[in-house]
Amino acid sequence: MLLASAVVVWEWLNEHGRWRPYSPAVSHHIEAVVRAGPRAGGSVVLGQVDSRLAPYIIDLQSMNQFRQDTGTLRPVRRNYYDPSSAPGKGVVWEWENDNGSWTPYDMEVGITIQHAYEKQHPWIDLTSIGFSYVIDFNTMGQINRQTQRQRRVRRRLDLIYPMVTGTLPKTQSWPANPGSAASPPTPPCSCPQCVLVMSVKAAVVSGSTGPLQPPAARKNMPPSGAVKLPPPPGPGAKPLDGTGTIRGPVKTVPSQASRRQTSSTAAGATAGSPASPPGANGKTGRVALATLNRTNLQRLAIAQSRVLIASGVPTVPVKNLNGSSPVNPALAGITGILMSAAGLPVCLTRPPKLVLHPPPVSKSEIKSIPGVSNTSRKTTKKQAKKGKTPEEVLKKYLQKVRHPPDEDCTICMERLMAPSGYKGPQPTVKPDLVGKLSRCGHIYHIYCLVAMYNNGNKDGSLQCPTCKTIYGVKTGTQPPGKMEYHLIPHSLPGHPDCKTIRIIYSIPPGIQGPEHPNPGKSFSARGFPRHCYLPDSEKGRKVLKLLLVAWDRRLIFAIGTSSTTGESDTVIWNEVHHKTEFGSNLTGHGYPDANYLDNVLAELAAQGISEDSAAQEKD
């Protein structure tokens, strides 16, 4: 039976037939594109969220991952898991490989290990799910049952995978349109870009390196003219040397060889990246690429051009046989590579520049924000609340259940009619008492809820582990720091009619407190001060006011492991996205972004912060 709420994990199929999970950060990125619908373009550039995945693009229409430098295609899927399982709690189980780096287990394996870990089992045998390994929790080791070889394993916390609620489909296409019939095949296009795409596709199918002349191309070329198209370069292929022969009216200019070498090298620079998840079997990938239709190929071309721009590869206005003409920037990257491979002249220009900061602003130009008091806010170390026991706190949110239903407690995974299976420090309540949360109606052992509260911030709030409904006022573990905010006399892209709100976060390194992952250990604070930007519009000021509430509740930052650098015990963002790019949007953290303000309002609401938050702060 499909769940009413679930966490979404995006996965790709490896060469051994195993579905491998993308990281939580990548899954959030893919899910954001899916929720944006067709206006997002139908493709996901993975390098925008993880630089190690720069060669990869996901085409949501065909549900395939495409590797640009080898042409490898791999299926992807959008899978659902229980919110109380490992991905719903941000738990990742990993094993140490021969290189000394850590590799996450398949999602089903990680969930099985976490389930045994939560039940306080000393070990778990994975034979029942098809793996000849035993995980020993006492030594945190993986033992091969056949060879007795041991590897280290570890359990770490990461972002929680994205949550969805409502009726969940068993399968999903993009965009969702179940009532639409299959569209009739469209006639082939005769534009130069499509002729080149279809020519390369034909070369992949036939494996021929001889002349390729689709009918539409033959009409426009002299009888004696023929262009030799070499096969697409595989991993490790050498860049073109500019010696390809061309017969016809086109002559190779002297500088063309170096230009072709530049574009060819850049296109294959990331081949064989050790951090890339899929294999680099270019042969099978190119055959699979040949099965895509013209629309899917063009969509991959559009996404590939985004990667080229974001990674610093020059954009390519193309000179065709009849002179100079502009090409749609979205197709310029792939068109330039294809035309370069065909020996046609290509002119390179510089890409758009990354603009992180506004032009210099004098002190006299910086103004306070109307309707917002002060221009800065500080946080200090957390002050422990006294007086109420966990049982007294939870009593406000619970109703006792005299006759529990015949189902599992999703915290300890024991039946509600049986005593709680929690084996940690003993709460003072009886293990067989059952309670129902008053607003969402989910039922748990009260014993388990008290234990969960004791393992949290103990701030007087409780969050339902199933649906994430917040009871009370949720606070976080943000370390001490300062938040400044003011107006600057410049406009953001997409918001020409208003000034800009600049937010500056400053957090120094320090020592972790009792609420942090490793109390007493030092933590780092990279990249501070961090500058963020909002439009000075009505909705922009609303977002700022709610960000101030989030800052006061210590929910903007946390201490954990960076998803970009892998560094542990460092200050990280805490699931409320900020725009840190002022004058461009090459990294995905800038403007224009028509949905950003609505998205960040939804993220703040998920943390329990809405327009009535100010009133709750006073209570």
Side-chain angles (χ1 to χ4, degrees), residues 444-483:
Y444 307 94
H445 290 117
I446 297 178
Y447 194 86
C448 294
L449 288 174
V450 171
M452 186 181 74
Y453 181 85
N454 283 330
N455 289 331
N457 290 338
K458 302 185 185 73
D459 59 0
S461 72
L462 181 72
Q463 188 163 14
C464 174
T466 299
C467 65
K468 309 304 180 187
T469 299
I470 296 172
Y471 296 81
V473 177
K474 179 182 177 181
T475 62
T477 60
Q478 177 179 288
K482 183 179 181 181
M483 175 183 180

Side-chain angles (χ1 to χ4, degrees), residues 140-189:
M140 289 300 282
Q142 171 190 278
I143 305 169
N144 188 313
R145 291 173 58 90
Q146 297 178 347
T147 66
Q148 297 302 307
R149 180 179 180 181
Q150 298 190 23
R151 294 180 184 271
R152 290 195 301 164
V153 300
R154 72 177 183 182
R155 176 183 182 270
R156 67 176 180 85
L157 294 179
D158 203 334
L159 293 173
I160 295 174
Y161 279 89
M163 172 78 70
V164 293
T165 57
T167 303
L168 303 179
K170 293 182 180 179
T171 59
Q172 182 164 347
S173 60
W174 188 98
N177 190 10
S180 60
S183 57
T186 56
C189 178

Side-chain angles (χ1 to χ4, degrees), residues 492-506:
L492 292 166
H495 299 275
D497 300 327
C498 60
K499 297 179 181 179
T500 297
I501 299 171
R502 179 168 61 185
I503 304 171
I504 303 175
Y505 293 111
S506 300

Side-chain angles (χ1 to χ4, degrees), residues 405-476:
D406 185 18
E407 58 187 45
D408 287 344
C409 168
T410 57
I411 298 177
C412 70
M413 301 309 296
E414 297 290 347
R415 307 302 284 179
L416 287 168
M417 294 186 295
S420 168
Y422 178 72
K423 303 300 182 184
Q426 302 297 313
T428 59
V429 298
K430 295 180 179 180
D432 57 350
L433 292 180
V434 175
K436 179 173 73 173
L437 292 172
S438 58
R439 286 167 52 197
C440 65
H442 289 110
I443 303 175
Y444 307 94
H445 290 117
I446 297 178
Y447 194 86
C448 294
L449 288 174
V450 171
M452 186 181 74
Y453 181 85
N454 283 330
N455 289 331
N457 290 338
K458 302 185 185 73
D459 59 0
S461 72
L462 181 72
Q463 188 163 14
C464 174
T466 299
C467 65
K468 309 304 180 187
T469 299
I470 296 172
Y471 296 81
V473 177
K474 179 182 177 181
T475 62

Side-chain angles (χ1 to χ4, degrees), residues 209-220:
T209 58
L212 295 174
Q213 297 182 34
R218 292 192 188 109
K219 293 179 182 179
N220 299 322

Side-chain angles (χ1 to χ4, degrees), residues 56 135 261 491 504 586 591:
Y56 299 97
I135 306 299
Q261 184 173 357
S491 298
I504 303 175
L586 300 185
Y591 295 92

Side-chain angles (χ1 to χ4, degrees), residues 38 44 71 82 121 138 216 239 308 337 359 479 492 508 525 538 601:
V44 186
D82 193 293
H121 294 328
N138 293 323
L308 296 176
I337 292 172
L492 292 166
E538 181 180 354
L601 286 173

